[in-house]
Amino acid sequence: MSASASASASDPASSLPFDDTADFESADRGFLGALVPAVIRTDDGRVVWDNDAYGFLRGDCPDSANPSLWRQAQLCARQGLYEVTEGIYQVRGLDLANMTLVEGDRGVIVIDPLISAECAAAALALYREHRGDRRVTGLIYTHSHADHFGGSRGVLPRGIGDGVPILAPKGFLEHAVSENVYAGPAMTRRASFMYGDRLPKSPDGQIGAGLGMTTSTGTITLIPPTVDVTRTGQEEVVDGVRMVFQLTPGTEAPAEMNFSLPDKRALCLAENATHNMHNILTLRGAVVRDARVWSRYLDEAIGFFDETYDVAFASHHWPTWGRRNVVRFLAEQRDLYAYLHDQTLRMINQGLTGPEIAEELKLPPALERAWHARGYYGSVSHNVKAIYQRYLGWFDGNAAHLWEHPPEELAVRYVELAGGVDEALAKARAYIDAGDLRFAATLLNHIVFADAGNTAAREALAGVYERLGRGSENGTWRNFYLTSALELRQGPGSNELDLSNPEVAMALTTEQLIDSIAVTIDGPRAWDESLTIDLVLTDEQHRHRLTLHNGALTHRDTPFGEFPHTSAGLTLTLTRPQLLGVLAGKGLGGIGTEGDPELLARLLSYATKPDRSFGVVTP
C-alpha cells in the first residue's frame, strides 16, 4: 500500500513492523525534563501551544485512526529537553519544529527558534532550567520556513541580541518573506486545513501532522541574518564552536543548508532528512520542490561529511545515532526522492498522467517498510502529481481538460446528467455502501457545488470525508479531510496564525513591498485609471517609479542619481521606515512631496484586502 489514504484504518497493520521499537528508544534517549504543564500563553493569557492536549496518545490506537499514523503521533508528541550528545541539546514538542541548542565557550547557540516567540522563550527557559542561565551567543536559521525563524525574538529580545551573529543560507531573507507576500493569505488559509487548526485534539480529531503535532499560534518575528553562508565547505566559528556548511538550495526549501559540528562529532540535517516522507509540494501550496536535486544533495552529504559525525539530528523528529545508521538513513532518504522522481519521469514518457502515475507507482519493499520513508507528511500520491506538475504543468494534454467549466458550472451539469439532486444523492449513497468512498466524495462534491444549501448532501459528504480522514496514514490528509467535514457542517472558520508582525514587513525588499500592493489591485476597477508615482528612498539611494495603467501596477527601479525622461504625477522623497508608515495609513507627515498627493490615495483605493476565511470545500 502506498503512503496515502485508505478507507480502512487497519490496512497497513499487516505489512509494517509494529514490533520494531527502535524509534521509541531513540525518541526517549537523552531525556532531561519536560515543561509542566506544556501549555504556552501570550502575555494576555491566550494559549498558543498546548502539548498536554495530546495526552490521549498514550492509549492504544482506536478505530478512528490509522495505526501507523497513531504510532508516528505518539513519537512526535514526546515533549521536553533532550541531550543529543555532549554539548548539544534539543527541545522537542513545544512547536511544530525542534529547537537545538549548542553550548559554546561563553554561552549557547540556538538553531531554529520555532514559529512563535512565546514558544521559543519557553524552550530556552526549559534548557536554562537544566543547563544553567547561559546567554545566547549565536543564532542559526537552517532554512527559510517560518517554523525555523519565527520565534527569533523569543531567544534574542530587542536590546539583548545586539552583536550576536545570526547565520543563514544565501537567499534566506528573500525566500523567508516572499512566501508570505504573493499568495500568503491563501497559503495560510489552506495551512489551517493541513494542520487541522480548528479540529479538536482527540482520537476522533487532530492527532498530529506527521512532521510534528501542529503549528503554534503566537507572535511571528524575524531578525535578519548577519552572516550569509554562500558556499559548500564554508567554515564559521561562533562562540568557539566550529561549523562546516553544505548549501542545499531547492531541496525542502529554496534556501537551506546542512552543517557539521566536527569537534562535537554531530551533523545537522536541517529539514532535508526527517523521519517521514516529506512534501514535494505541500497541501497548503508552495513552489514545487526539486526531488532530483533533493536526492543529489543527500548523496553529496554522505560523502562530504563522511567520518565527521557519530550522530545526526534534524529540525524535526528525533536524532539518529551511529555513523553506519546515519549513512543508511541518508541513503534510504536519498533513494526515496530519487525513486519518486525517476519513476514518475519514466511513466510520464510512457504517456501516463499525474493521477495515473499516482495509482501505479509503488515504492520498493525496503522503502515501503522503512518507518522514516512512510507518507506521514508527504505522500506517494500527491508527491508524484507534484513532480508531474513541475515538468509538465496543470494540463495533461487531453483537449477535453483544456477549457472545462469552473467547479460550480461543471457541478450543475454533472448533477443534471445524474438525474437531478435527489437521484445523484441516492447514487452517491450507493457508492458509499459499496465502499467506493473516493468516487462518492467526487459525486457528493458536485452536488454540494450545484446546490450549496442541500444539507443532506453536505452531511453525506462530511461523513465520507470523516471516514477517509480516519483511515489516512498521512497526517496532513487526515487533517484536510476532517477540517473539510467541519467546514461543511459549521462553515469556514478564521485563521489563528498572524503573519502581520511589522518586523516581518521590515524584512521585505522594497520591490517585494510594491509587489505586495500590486497583487491586491482590483484590476477591473482600475482599468481606466492611469497614474505615476515616484518613490525616492534616500536611505536606500534608489528611485522606484510606480505606474498604474490598464489595471496593472508595475514598477521600475533606477539608481538614485538618474532621472526619468518624464516627470511623475507625484514624487515622494522618504526613507524606508517612512514608506512602511505610508503603506500602514499613517499619512505623509514629514515626507517630501512634489505633485498631487491625491494620486497616492487614488492608488491605494484600488487595493483590496484578502479574504482570510474563504470557503475551501464549499462554493
Side-chain angles (χ1 to χ4, degrees):
M1 172 183 162
S2 65
S4 57
S6 70
S8 168
S10 60
D11 282 349
S14 60
S15 60
L16 291 175
F18 280 93
D19 57 346
D20 177 5
T21 61
D23 283 337
F24 289 90
E25 294 163 8
S26 293
D28 290 333
R29 179 170 172 173
F31 176 73
L32 295 176
L35 179 66
V36 181
V39 179
I40 301 172
R41 302 174 184 271
T42 58
D43 290 339
D44 61 4
R46 181 173 65 87
V47 174
V48 299
W49 182 260
D50 182 0
N51 206 69
D52 289 344
Y54 294 104
F56 62 86
L57 287 167
R58 288 189 286 270
D60 293 335
C61 180
D63 292 339
S64 59
N66 181 294
S68 180
L69 179 60
W70 187 267
R71 175 189 182 277
Q72 181 76 353
Q74 289 179 318
L75 289 161
C76 291
R78 281 158 158 74
Q79 176 267 124
L81 177 69
Y82 297 81
E83 183 181 45
V84 176
T85 190
E86 184 177 357
I88 301 178
Y89 299 84
Q90 283 192 317
V91 178
R92 305 183 207 129
L94 293 187
D95 210 324
L96 181 69
N98 302 332
M99 190 166 88
T100 305
L101 303 108
V102 181
E103 293 177 352
D105 293 341
R106 297 173 291 107
V108 64
I109 302 162
V110 173
I111 303 171
D112 288 351
L114 311 180
I115 294 176
S116 303
E118 295 85 355
C119 292
L124 182 60
L126 179 62
Y127 163 80
R128 286 171 169 166
E129 177 185 336
H130 293 273
R131 296 295 301 165
D133 191 17
R134 301 166 190 258
R135 67 187 184 93
V136 174
T137 50
L139 181 58
I140 299 174
Y141 304 135
T142 62
H143 60 291
S144 53
H145 291 152
D147 52 325
H148 304 273
F149 66 76
S152 54
R153 284 298 181 195
V155 297
L156 287 176
R158 290 184 180 279
I160 293 179
D162 297 345
V164 172
I166 303 172
L167 285 67
K170 178 177 65 175
F172 165 85
L173 199 57
E174 174 189 353
H175 293 297
V177 297
S178 65
E179 199 169 76
N180 300 317
V181 172
Y182 305 117
M187 285 185 183
T188 305
R189 178 77 184 113
R190 281 171 46 163
S192 70
F193 281 67
M194 180 174 169
Y195 294 107
D197 294 350
R198 297 177 62 201
L199 299 174
K201 295 175 176 63
S202 69
D204 292 337
Q206 206 267 7
I207 61 172
L211 191 68
M213 300 315 295
T214 188
T215 52
S216 65
T217 56
T219 307
I220 295 179
T221 59
L222 174 57
I223 308 175
T226 61
V227 178
D228 288 337
V229 176
T230 61
R231 60 181 176 84
T232 293
Q234 182 172 333
E235 294 195 23
E236 299 289 341
V237 177
V238 176
D239 193 12
V241 177
R242 183 165 65 99
M243 293 167 278
V244 182
F245 293 91
Q246 177 203 17
L247 281 183
T248 63
T251 52
E252 189 271 337
E256 191 149 357
M257 62 187 185
N258 301 324
F259 60 93
S260 70
L261 303 159
D263 299 328
K264 296 182 181 292
R265 303 289 298 171
L267 174 61
C268 175
L269 294 170
E271 202 169 318
N272 287 317
T274 54
H275 289 275
N276 54 216
M277 180 191 302
H278 215 294
N279 288 298
I280 305 303
L281 176 59
T282 68
L283 299 186
R284 65 180 169 83
V287 175
V288 181
R289 296 158 185 173
D290 190 338
R292 178 186 63 89
V293 163
W294 198 332
S295 172
R296 292 187 179 183
Y297 278 125
L298 288 173
D299 189 59
E300 180 182 78
I302 293 173
F304 181 72
F305 294 115
D306 193 28
E307 303 291 349
T308 66
Y309 57 84
D310 298 314
V311 61
F313 62 91
S315 302
H316 295 270
H317 302 140
W318 49 95
T320 301
W321 283 272
R323 178 185 167 278
R324 292 180 62 183
N325 292 332
V326 174
V327 171
R328 181 173 65 249
F329 171 63
L330 285 173
E332 289 176 346
Q333 286 276 306
R334 172 200 66 196
D335 295 347
L336 173 64
Y337 298 112
Y339 191 88
L340 289 171
H341 176 273
D342 294 350
Q343 295 307 305
T344 299
L345 267 293
R346 178 180 66 83
M347 294 185 190
I348 284 174
N349 290 321
Q350 291 177 337
L352 277 69
T353 64
E356 291 168 337
I357 299 169
E359 295 297 306
E360 290 290 328
L361 194 148
K362 307 297 179 187
L363 292 179
L367 294 180
E368 185 77 11
R369 288 176 58 81
W371 288 114
H372 67 83
R374 299 298 297 178
Y376 301 120
Y377 194 53
S379 74
V380 169
S381 180
H382 74 256
N383 279 344
V384 161
K385 295 167 189 171
I387 294 166
Y388 185 97
Q389 178 180 325
R390 181 178 180 87
Y391 284 94
L392 294 183
W394 64 269
F395 181 45
D396 64 4
N398 185 331
H401 302 149
L402 190 58
W403 192 32
E404 290 184 299
H405 287 291
E408 289 179 65
E409 292 297 321
L410 197 63
V412 168
R413 287 159 175 79
Y414 271 113
V415 170
E416 180 183 355
L417 190 65
V421 170
D422 292 341
E423 184 64 23
L425 186 55
K427 290 176 178 176
R429 286 179 170 141
Y431 281 107
I432 294 172
D433 293 340
D436 190 349
L437 300 183
R438 294 168 69 181
F439 187 71
T442 298
L443 183 51
L444 287 166
N445 182 67
H446 282 315
I447 300 172
V448 169
F449 270 73
D451 183 8
N454 191 307
T455 56
R458 291 170 77 108
E459 178 55 37
L461 182 54
V464 168
Y465 284 155
E466 276 189 342
R467 288 178 61 182
L468 286 169
R470 291 172 180 174
S472 178
E473 183 183 26
N474 183 286
T476 60
W477 283 38
R478 177 186 173 97
N479 293 336
F480 236 95
Y481 278 129
L482 296 185
T483 305
S484 296
L486 194 64
E487 179 176 304
L488 285 162
R489 288 170 172 151
Q490 299 182 11
S494 59
N495 297 330
E496 291 188 42
L497 197 61
D498 183 8
L499 299 173
S500 60
N501 190 302
E503 193 169 51
V504 177
M506 281 293 292
L508 294 169
T509 65
T510 300
E511 288 80 3
Q512 288 172 330
L513 279 171
I514 299 169
D515 282 343
S516 71
I517 302 170
V519 299
T520 69
I521 296 297
D522 186 337
R525 279 205 303 121
W527 279 346
D528 299 323
E529 181 65 89
S530 182
L531 58 85
T532 304
I533 299 175
D534 278 0
L535 303 175
V536 181
L537 296 181
T538 55
D539 51 349
E540 293 187 352
Q541 298 287 289
H542 274 270
R543 176 188 296 266
H544 297 269
R545 168 153 291 189
L546 282 61
T547 302
L548 181 61
H549 193 249
N550 287 324
L553 179 64
T554 58
H555 58 95
R556 182 188 313 151
D557 178 18
T558 58
F560 195 61
E562 294 184 13
F563 294 89
H565 296 298
T566 58
S567 59
L570 171 66
T571 298
L572 301 177
T573 302
L574 70 175
T575 64
R576 179 182 167 78
Q578 287 176 317
L579 173 60
L580 287 168
V582 168
L583 297 180
K586 295 182 179 179
L588 298 176
I591 293 172
T593 304
E594 180 181 345
D596 183 4
E598 287 300 313
L599 291 184
L600 178 64
R602 276 166 51 188
L603 169 63
L604 295 180
S605 74
Y606 296 112
T608 60
K609 291 185 178 180
D611 182 355
R612 298 187 181 276
S613 59
F614 58 80
V616 175
V617 296
T618 51

